[in-house]
């Protein structure tokens, strides 16, 4: 019984720690229409010479599966993400920092969402790579992409 209680408490602690995540996420907000922001993200990526590898519609998936998972409330009016990578940028990161494990940060992901609770405010963001070395250049690139998307590229 003590083992079961200790396990349950550990799981609750880890869940609360996960809920506190966010220091590594950079966001900006736009009052532009969601479709314009999503298009702006794609344009900001493509116009820099990168290819969008995947465009995910996470908001649609959550709406589609809400009944199946007995969801308690609607979360997003819209929510999408875009993935891309760069052989040049990624190689610089992995070679300069001599950390072959930096492959974990590929592909880069930029997301946008508009919540049900705050319609008209679109959040655009990305998860930051740890600061230092060539990773800073990736964070700068991703910051420029979300700024361009927010400004209406």
């Amino acid at each position: 019984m003590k083992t079961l209680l200790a396990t349950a408490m550990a799981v609750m602690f880890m869940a609360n720690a996960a809920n506190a995540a966010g220091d590594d996420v950079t966001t900006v907000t736009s009052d532009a229409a969601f479709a314009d922001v999503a298009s702006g993200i794609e344009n900001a990526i493509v116009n820099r010479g990168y290819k969008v590898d995947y465009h995910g519609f996470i908001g649609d998936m959550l709406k589609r599966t809400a009944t199946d998972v007995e969801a308690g409330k609607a979360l997003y009016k819209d929510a999408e993400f875009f993935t891309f990578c760069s052989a040049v940028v990624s190689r610089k990161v992995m070679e300069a920092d001599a950390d072959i494990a930096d492959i974990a940060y590929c592909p880069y992901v930029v997301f946008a969402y508009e919540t049900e609770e705050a319609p008209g405010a679109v959040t655009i963001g990305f998860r930051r790579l740890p600061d230092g070395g060539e990773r800073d250049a990736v964070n700068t690139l991703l910051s420029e992409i979300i700024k361009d998307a927010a400004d209406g590229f």
Side-chain angles (χ1 to χ4, degrees):
M1 183 66 164
K2 286 183 181 180
T3 304
L4 181 60
L5 181 58
T7 303
M9 289 177 64
V11 168
M12 286 178 21
F13 174 77
M14 287 186 292
N16 285 337
N19 288 337
D23 291 343
D24 62 341
V25 176
T26 297
T27 62
V28 296
T29 305
S30 175
D31 59 0
F34 184 86
D36 293 340
V37 169
S39 180
I41 292 170
E42 186 167 16
N43 287 337
I45 293 168
V46 171
N47 289 345
R48 285 175 169 77
Y50 306 118
K51 177 186 176 293
V52 173
D53 294 318
Y54 188 75
H55 179 185
F57 298 86
I58 195 164
D60 291 347
M61 179 274 298
L62 291 170
K63 288 175 187 174
R64 186 179 63 253
T65 60
T67 319
D68 298 333
V69 299
E70 299 175 4
K73 65 179 183 175
L75 300 171
Y76 304 100
K77 290 179 60 76
D78 283 298
E80 299 177 11
F81 66 92
F82 299 80
T83 67
F84 71 100
C85 206
S86 164
V88 172
V89 174
S90 297
R91 181 167 286 280
K92 283 182 182 177
V93 169
M94 291 172 216
E95 286 182 356
D97 296 334
D99 190 352
I100 204 78
D102 279 345
I103 193 171
Y105 303 113
C106 293
Y108 310 126
V109 179
V110 177
F111 62 85
Y113 64 84
E114 179 179 9
T115 66
E116 288 286 349
E117 292 180 352
V122 179
T123 300
I124 310 135
F126 67 94
R127 188 175 23 203
R128 296 181 65 77
L129 281 68
D131 292 334
E134 289 293 326
R135 289 185 299 252
D136 291 345
V138 176
N139 290 329
T140 298
L141 168 68
L142 295 170
S143 293
E144 291 169 354
I145 288 171
I146 67 171
K147 182 183 179 312
D148 287 350
D151 291 345
F153 200 87

